[in-house]
Amino acid sequence: MLKAIQILGSSSGSVSSRFRKPQQNSGLSLISTRKSIGTINIKTDSLLLPASHYKGRFRMSSTHSQSNPDGPSSSQPSFSSVAAIQSTGNIRKVNFCQFCGGSTKHEIPDGEEKVRAICTRCGKIIYENPKMVVGCLIEHDKKILMCRRKIQPSYGLWTLPAGYMEIGESAAEGAIRETLEEANAEVEVQSPFAQLDIPLIGQTYMIFLAKLKTPHFSPGPESSECRLYELDDIPFDSLAFSSMLVTLKLYIEDIKVGRPKFHYGIINKRPGTSPSEIHAYTLDYHMQS
Amino acid sequence: MLKAIQILGSSSGSVSSRFRKPQQNSGLSLISTRKSIGTINIKTDSLLLPASHYKGRFRMSSTHSQSNPDGPSSSQPSFSSVAAIQSTGNIRKVNFCQFCGGSTKHEIPDGEEKVRAICTRCGKIIYENPKMVVGCLIEHDKKILMCRRKIQPSYGLWTLPAGYMEIGESAAEGAIRETLEEANAEVEVQSPFAQLDIPLIGQTYMIFLAKLKTPHFSPGPESSECRLYELDDIPFDSLAFSSMLVTLKLYIEDIKVGRPKFHYGIINKRPGTSPSEIHAYTLDYHMQS
């Protein structure tokens, strides 16, 4: 996605409620570890990013440290709204109905439990849902293709090609499209590799293993550099997002012991940490198939 | 989700464009079958549902046959908008900005390729993204827990507990919550089982294998009946959604040959078929880990 300007939406209170609602807390406690390989604590020793990466016109709130892998260019007019995002994960309220233009009220609809934006004119209830980010972990000659970001957030840092899944495409199609856009690389998707939920920012990453169709790649408009990295040389001290850190660590662990598996996990940010601290997450409820 | 009223959104033309855009078509062709187990053609002999299931006040468009696993109750005021959905997958245009109330224009933003709704007042570009549906395939004594729907769409038909993932929760939490709401059952999630994309209706299903914590369950407000089914007795002739049909068939195939794997696939509806024909899909780009 060349210029994605996606603002996470939530009805009032819905994001932070996960930390206080007994129902949702009990949900977490219900998750078994029978097939789990346990919680992974992300290493913190070398992954603290300089705050200078986030200075300038793009004030990064703690909910947007990686909420926008295909962040907007500075020319886009609506990115200032990102600054309105609160550290709880809540963001700008939905004030108007998208369909009739009526103003909204924020209350709990009959039979529901959460506060929602409700149109006072047509009665529509506005539901806000997590967004999927799709991308490729591209293997070539035992190396991994990575892109250096030429846009904010995380300008100058390294990532796997990834971006928001669009209406009308599948996750695999989206991952292929993003790779073409960011690395001018044509790939074949091989298998699903990881689903990583980041509840605080309302995102789910879906990463596929992929192969280059031809050994050709070059930076797309959002990348300053694309490069194949040996596993031992991956720039772990200058990665753009914790989702990529987790993905690459899981991949390397899999390769060490055999072949890649499919991983599910929840990336929870440690309370009180800055968005630039990509190490400040834990991977919880890690399960693999 | 007790009363989900979620209307799929897309900017003008974005859904149907996947069938004509060279870029996206080439994306599909790039997908390898090296690790694929091939395309599964869903059996059609016994799965045609009577149209009577869809009569009444809820006119089912072809894009909503399964677009709303937790469909609204008839008391909800905005469900009439479902009828406006076109067979291409496109739906009501976004006419107003949710944040400033300005009217929108529909055109291709600079540097992009797709038509988007753009606020004429604040300049915000409105991106529409697929929604995630999360649910549980609950194993208990070699049986599967299923719910009979007491709401539209697919009133009276059988499904696995599932519903829209909410902002602020993970997929696993959402699947546990939906199971509690629809079957009053407390479960432990064991492993991810399937991701099934349905591009035409902008949905991605994420199904987890789960176990009952206690052998207690009963119908929630959206269910008329909950029941444990032996694999040989699963009501394949009265399932609510093709996503559930595919999930159950993959599960049974896995059990026959060993243990469940993780499956990724794209459910594509056959052109020209009715939404009530849940058999009228193919599972494409099926990959497993």
Side-chain angles (χ1 to χ4, degrees):
Chain A
M1 188 178 296
L2 283 173
K3 294 184 180 180
I5 308 176
Q6 307 213 35
I7 308 303
L8 289 172
S10 73
S11 50
S12 176
S14 65
V15 169
S16 57
S17 66
R18 67 184 292 271
F19 299 113
R20 56 175 189 263
K21 284 197 68 179
Q23 178 186 339
Q24 290 185 323
N25 288 338
S26 67
L28 272 173
S29 68
L30 294 173
I31 298 176
S32 165
T33 57
R34 188 173 67 82
K35 289 186 181 177
S36 167
I37 62 171
T39 296
I40 291 178
N41 289 307
I42 306 306
K43 283 175 67 176
T44 63
D45 45 4
S46 62
L47 297 166
L48 184 63
L49 300 179
S52 59
H53 282 297
Y54 301 96
K55 284 182 178 170
R57 65 171 294 163
F58 298 97
R59 179 188 149 207
M60 293 305 304
S61 80
S62 65
T63 60
H64 244 61
S65 63
Q66 60 181 358
S67 69
N68 209 332
D70 296 311
S73 74
S74 59
S75 64
Q76 297 294 348
S78 66
F79 194 47
S80 59
S81 57
V82 171
I85 299 171
Q86 300 165 23
S87 61
T88 59
N90 281 327
I91 62 158
R92 301 172 73 180
K93 276 187 182 174
V94 170
N95 297 316
F96 298 93
C97 175
Q98 284 187 313
F99 303 108
C100 79
S103 62
T104 57
K105 59 182 178 181
H106 293 83
E107 56 187 49
I108 300 175
D110 289 345
E112 297 207 22
E113 295 175 352
K114 288 185 177 177
V115 171
R116 313 275 187 188
I118 305 170
C119 179
T120 57
R121 184 182 297 167
C122 73
K124 184 181 184 332
I125 303 173
I126 293 104
Y127 293 92
E128 303 288 337
N129 304 92
K131 295 186 192 301
M132 288 187 71
V133 179
V134 291
C136 286
L137 194 162
I138 302 152
E139 305 162 304
H140 187 78
D141 286 344
K142 298 185 178 178
K143 298 171 186 165
I144 298 298
L145 182 61
M146 299 191 69
C147 301
R148 194 170 190 181
R149 289 174 63 84
K150 202 170 70 176
I151 55 171
Q152 294 286 4
S154 300
Y155 183 99
L157 301 179
W158 290 88
T159 185
L160 304 175
Y164 287 110
M165 184 173 163
E166 294 257 12
I167 279 277
E169 70 183 1
S170 66
E173 286 173 296
I176 290 168
R177 175 183 52 73
E178 290 289 345
T179 304
L180 192 61
E181 289 179 5
E182 297 184 2
N184 290 315
E186 293 194 353
V187 294
E188 294 175 348
V189 164
Q190 304 289 303
S191 63
F193 176 65
Q195 178 185 342
L196 301 170
D197 298 332
I198 313 179
L200 188 69
I201 57 173
Q203 286 190 347
T204 287
Y205 277 74
M206 185 72 197
I207 305 294
F208 293 88
L209 296 183
K211 297 279 187 197
L212 288 175
K213 289 188 76 177
T214 64
H216 302 133
F217 55 85
S218 60
E222 297 179 354
S223 307
S224 61
E225 187 180 354
C226 294
R227 183 174 155 186
L228 287 168
Y229 275 104
E230 303 269 3
L231 296 191
D232 289 340
D233 296 333
I234 287 173
F236 278 106
D237 57 350
S238 54
L239 292 181
F241 307 116
S242 59
S243 55
M244 299 308 171
L245 168 61
V246 172
T247 298
L248 289 164
K249 288 173 71 76
L250 290 173
Y251 176 76
I252 290 171
E253 287 169 9
D254 279 1
I255 292 295
K256 279 182 185 168
V257 298
R259 67 173 189 84
K261 305 175 189 74
F262 178 78
H263 300 266
Y264 171 81
I266 306 171
I267 297 178
N268 284 312
K269 190 186 171 200
R270 291 193 197 133
T273 54
S274 147
S276 62
E277 296 171 277
I278 71 161
H279 67 280
Y281 292 83
T282 54
L283 179 64
D284 300 320
Y285 306 98
H286 180 195
M287 300 180 283
Q288 54 188 358
S289 296
Chain B
M1 189 178 296
L2 284 174
K3 293 183 179 180
I5 307 177
Q6 307 214 31
I7 308 303
L8 290 172
S10 73
S11 49
S12 175
S14 64
V15 170
S16 58
S17 66
R18 66 184 294 271
F19 300 113
R20 57 175 188 267
K21 283 196 69 178
Q23 177 188 338
Q24 289 184 322
N25 287 338
S26 68
L28 273 172
S29 70
L30 293 173
I31 297 176
S32 166
T33 57
R34 187 172 66 84
K35 289 187 182 176
S36 166
I37 63 170
T39 296
I40 292 177
N41 289 307
I42 305 305
K43 283 174 67 177
T44 62
D45 46 2
S46 62
L47 298 166
L48 183 63
L49 300 180
S52 60
H53 283 298
Y54 302 95
K55 283 182 179 171
R57 64 173 294 166
F58 299 96
R59 178 187 150 211
M60 292 304 303
S61 79
S62 65
T63 59
H64 244 63
S65 63
Q66 60 182 1
S67 68
N68 207 332
D70 296 311
S73 74
S74 58
S75 65
Q76 297 293 348
S78 66
F79 193 51
S80 60
S81 57
V82 172
I85 300 172
Q86 300 165 24
S87 60
T88 58
N90 282 326
I91 63 158
R92 301 172 71 183
K93 276 186 184 174
V94 170
N95 297 316
F96 298 92
C97 175
Q98 284 187 313
F99 302 108
C100 79
S103 62
T104 57
K105 59 183 177 180
H106 293 83
E107 58 187 47
I108 301 175
D110 289 346
E112 298 208 21
E113 296 176 352
K114 288 184 178 179
V115 172
R116 314 275 187 188
I118 305 169
C119 179
T120 57
R121 184 182 297 167
C122 73
K124 183 180 185 331
I125 303 172
I126 294 106
Y127 293 92
E128 304 288 338
N129 303 91
K131 295 185 192 301
M132 288 188 72
V133 179
V134 291
C136 286
L137 196 163
I138 301 152
E139 305 162 303
H140 187 78
D141 286 343
K142 298 185 178 177
K143 297 172 187 167
I144 297 299
L145 182 62
M146 299 190 69
C147 301
R148 194 169 189 181
R149 288 174 64 84
K150 202 170 72 175
I151 56 171
Q152 294 287 5
S154 301
Y155 183 99
L157 301 180
W158 291 88
T159 185
L160 304 175
Y164 287 109
M165 184 174 164
E166 295 256 13
I167 279 276
E169 70 183 1
S170 67
E173 285 173 296
I176 290 168
R177 174 183 53 74
E178 290 288 344
T179 303
L180 192 61
E181 289 179 4
E182 297 184 3
N184 290 314
E186 293 194 355
V187 294
E188 292 175 348
V189 164
Q190 304 288 303
S191 63
F193 176 65
Q195 179 186 344
L196 299 169
D197 297 333
I198 313 180
L200 188 68
I201 58 173
Q203 286 189 346
T204 287
Y205 278 72
M206 186 73 196
I207 305 294
F208 292 88
L209 296 182
K211 298 279 187 196
L212 288 175
K213 289 188 76 177
T214 63
H216 302 133
F217 55 86
S218 61
E222 297 179 353
S223 307
S224 61
E225 188 180 353
C226 294
R227 185 174 154 186
L228 287 168
Y229 275 105
E230 303 268 3
L231 296 191
D232 289 341
D233 296 333
I234 287 172
F236 278 106
D237 57 350
S238 54
L239 292 181
F241 308 116
S242 59
S243 54
M244 299 307 171
L245 167 61
V246 173
T247 298
L248 289 164
K249 287 174 72 75
L250 291 173
Y251 177 75
I252 290 171
E253 287 168 11
D254 279 0
I255 292 294
K256 279 182 185 169
V257 298
R259 68 174 189 85
K261 306 173 189 73
F262 177 79
H263 299 267
Y264 171 81
I266 306 170
I267 297 177
N268 284 312
K269 191 186 171 201
R270 291 193 196 132
T273 53
S274 148
S276 61
E277 296 173 277
I278 71 161
H279 66 281
Y281 292 84
T282 55
L283 180 63
D284 300 320
Y285 306 98
H286 180 194
M287 301 180 284
Q288 55 189 356
S289 294

